[in-house]
Amino acid sequence: MGEPGAAVEAWVAALGTAFAAGDSAAVADLFAETCYWRDLLTFTWNITTCEGRPAIRAMLEARLAETAPGRLTVVDEATEDAGVITGWFTFETAQARGIAHVRLRDGRAWTLLTSMEELKGYEEKKGRRRAFGAEHGVHQGRSTWLERRLEEAETLGFTRQPYTVIVGGGQGGLALGARLRRLGVPTIIVEKNARAGDSWRNRYKSLCLHDPVWYDHMPYLPFPDDWPVYSPKDKIGDWLEMYARVMELNIWTSSEVTGARYDEATGRWEVVVDRQGQSLTLQPTQLVLATGMSGIPNVIDVPGASHFRGTLHHSSQHRGGEGYRGKNCVVIGSNNSAHDICADLWEHGAASVTMVQRSSTHISTSDSLFKFGTSKLYSEDALERGITTWKADLLNASLPYAIMHEFHKPTMDAIRIEDADLYARLEKAGFLLDYGDDESGLHMKYIRRGSGYYIDVGASELVADGRIKLKTGVAVDHLTETSVVFSDGSALPAELVVLATGYGSMNGWAAKLISQEVADKVGKCWGIGSSTTKDPGPWEGELRNMWKPTQQPGLWFQGGNLHQSRHYSQYLAFQLKARMEGLPTPVYALAPSYHRA
Amino acid sequence: MGEPGAAVEAWVAALGTAFAAGDSAAVADLFAETCYWRDLLTFTWNITTCEGRPAIRAMLEARLAETAPGRLTVVDEATEDAGVITGWFTFETAQARGIAHVRLRDGRAWTLLTSMEELKGYEEKKGRRRAFGAEHGVHQGRSTWLERRLEEAETLGFTRQPYTVIVGGGQGGLALGARLRRLGVPTIIVEKNARAGDSWRNRYKSLCLHDPVWYDHMPYLPFPDDWPVYSPKDKIGDWLEMYARVMELNIWTSSEVTGARYDEATGRWEVVVDRQGQSLTLQPTQLVLATGMSGIPNVIDVPGASHFRGTLHHSSQHRGGEGYRGKNCVVIGSNNSAHDICADLWEHGAASVTMVQRSSTHISTSDSLFKFGTSKLYSEDALERGITTWKADLLNASLPYAIMHEFHKPTMDAIRIEDADLYARLEKAGFLLDYGDDESGLHMKYIRRGSGYYIDVGASELVADGRIKLKTGVAVDHLTETSVVFSDGSALPAELVVLATGYGSMNGWAAKLISQEVADKVGKCWGIGSSTTKDPGPWEGELRNMWKPTQQPGLWFQGGNLHQSRHYSQYLAFQLKARMEGLPTPVYALAPSYHRA
């Protein structure tokens, strides 16, 4: 064992001693003055980051005795880079097994991540614990796997109630559903489309995932090793449909939740579902909204819309450029959807395509994001360095949000050098570029506000060379029968106007399905309180309301990209399973609600 | 590097030197007097075992110059056990990359396995070579993945011909189909059932795989880690259906090949297919029969059958015990199907179940087969020892058939001790037991004749305690309207008679689909020529006609259990790909045909 290894061993041993002594002060003293402890359930039954020694000590004073951590064991090799020593250790609490990742500076912890990996007594039946399958011996009246599956489909939601209902059968709902299945939590997933995966299939035809394959695996069943880097939408649709099937998920397709009400007296929900035309009520204890992190479309009110003779719709309604050949098209907005739709219209031979840019946008090319960003943890290179998907997710989670932007600035700097030419040409074309409030680039915009950027897969070239026209620094004033009139008095002929004006917070779904009161009680989803554009404070240090307890008992939000759907579904699943089993789950530092949306 | 490592390094270095010198005699001299070189394509474009130095030397004299092996590199750790040193090395030939496994005794090779792993210039597009998926940039008239898939479905077999047609969409057809897809060989799989996987689903309801999960993975997409040890039939059916979909196989379901004819002039087949009621002709260059290793049912002629008022059918027609409650049932035969059907009838409450045993049968319990046999290479224990599925398959393949029985005798001895009580009770009940001609047990019976055994999953207990009645030492003489009359004059009332009388050789399918002439030219499939019961000589040392060139150009047999379907499909796929690309594929030691069936 080299020096980094010895340092990690020593620190973990000291931590174990302080834990065993129940000495919160001693534990806090093992941290550097600037320090972060991010806990994923193990101590707090919450997703929360304690920032600074006093916060760590306060958390432990509330939680150390009951958590009873022990059996700390260093695993994997420690490494050192620029004065920071990194190590891993496993541990147990009274309730769970966990893994931890620590970064040491001068012998004290700068960052600590603690992640729940297994609930004691409720381990997944995998590997040596897997089901036997066959029932050897002879059994009169034996039931088969198929009979049990059919019986479950016929009874769950009818003669017996699911513990959990998940609204939405995209990657978020399916990933969580698969984890709950393994943990034995009876669950129904309600999906409005006819087939799982249709939420991808139904989008514009050239769509491919914007994240690379290594980032996108679903839980338990990784893609085969020839899966394309950027999955075409129909291929990922097929994969998700297959996934729901082989994971034995109870997914109700062509079904929509039309309303839900929490019964304080019984602690259960009344969820009204239109199931293939038939209305029925489910009574789960837990309700998960997995309706897409983008929430409800922001449809702006455009004066004159009723007079407009062409097509006017929100980007979420736009099915692709077919049918607009030879037409004049105006797209309001300049983020991902706006770019994708403009390029698709151009590819389909629209007479003119104009993007109306209302405020500045960040652009990073897909290639550069991968080269300078994602590939560090998610790539063939990373795999060769021993960074499995599981390890990559933990490393990803180990960076506290409070300092994450510091790690993204050098990435952004590198991309600005790499793509200097593109950026210069975009500016020359009049495009209003930004790199984030603190120049930290795309990923922080994603975390802080989930918007304000375009991952360039080709449209920026069309903007730079004028094939997509730009209209900037103006607002839409009104529509006439055949044109868009802007605030500066100028006008453009239009047969299609697309409102690529984004989406509201996910709690808009709570307002729509439950009540405005519950939506307000829960408050805004997403964002970390960074006090940057569209991410108002106060500081929370975690994504608001995501994958963790909310102010509304029994209401949860699951969502995000494929990586987040995969990794954070683990923690949401443990929280639901523990509640189903009646385990104590005292939530430390339940976040208050500050913003309605 | 310890002593075993040094020994392997020295031997491989000497082999490399002899290869480089083109010195066949020197290579042969590196082998022990008793020695075996099993080649999977790399030197011979065949699946063949050279036994003894003269055979090795003769093979090299024919093939060494053209093969041009080189770049021998020892990989993995060498081990030593009871005087046998085992090592691995990679190598290249003019056409391919390979892996080799060697067992050394006293510094010379006792066994050598050489396996083709990659065709140079035709590497699978996986890992770093995977497709990009998205087409970044803007492309007017771009085609999407879905459009290309639909176009392929609409044209392949209609306006353009597949290079390969596979008859049968069970695990054999699908495994080969997946490999050919990756290698870019246009292929159509013709499956008579409505859905892939139905060949499993359509069988009796309690059926589960008889082999454990670690043995059963399909190529490229292993089961998730909670897959049951013994898959229920409907679950494996769903998996295969999903597999065909996500692997993008062109499978024609509800379709049957009704005839095929080889056109010597064009070197192509005329394959007549009834495709969902529509007759059409495919013209592939290669025709693969993946119709199940069991071939055509052996339906014995029973005098009086036309007078019998009950149900009389072959085991392949039997759909399970439902409907036979309170009925008297007679099952002719005492192998796997007979046992499974008898137990299932008993479970369904038949009034009486009688098994008619015509000759002795081997019984091994499923648990003991796993404990003393399969688990050595395929289990959680094996995985923990670093034996991946890939490595297990190679180790499995590394044992020449000529000495395989020697390795199975100790396993059989252990099982006889473990299950002594069951065997004693079966004999007491009058069951005619055997352990194979040379006491080598079940696996050798499987390899030699593919029959003559029952993997006990419960029925033997019913036989032992008399709940399944036995009738031994008699033949069926004739049926009356209501009974079975035996050669000793005794009779049993019967409302169901099942002929569990086995199957013919796979070349029966060639007779049925092509012609008796071609079936005879190709000869018997399966069996190694051991001159044991039902495996007539002369000695071939490989499974006759399986996965390798046959006497009929363009005709191939793919089949076997899930392990064989997975592993040997690799070699069959390389053979087809090489021919499609026009690479030289001189077949060394093409096996003659000795037996019609």
Side-chain angles (χ1 to χ4, degrees), chain B residues 377-397:
Chain B
L377 294 179
Y378 301 94
S379 62
E380 296 292 330
D381 285 337
L383 287 170
E384 275 183 15
R385 292 199 312 274
I387 303 179
T388 60
T389 309
W390 175 74
K391 212 163 172 180
D393 286 349
L394 290 167
L395 284 168
N396 209 338

Side-chain angles (χ1 to χ4, degrees), chain A residues 6 497 521:
Chain A
V497 176
K521 181 160 82 168

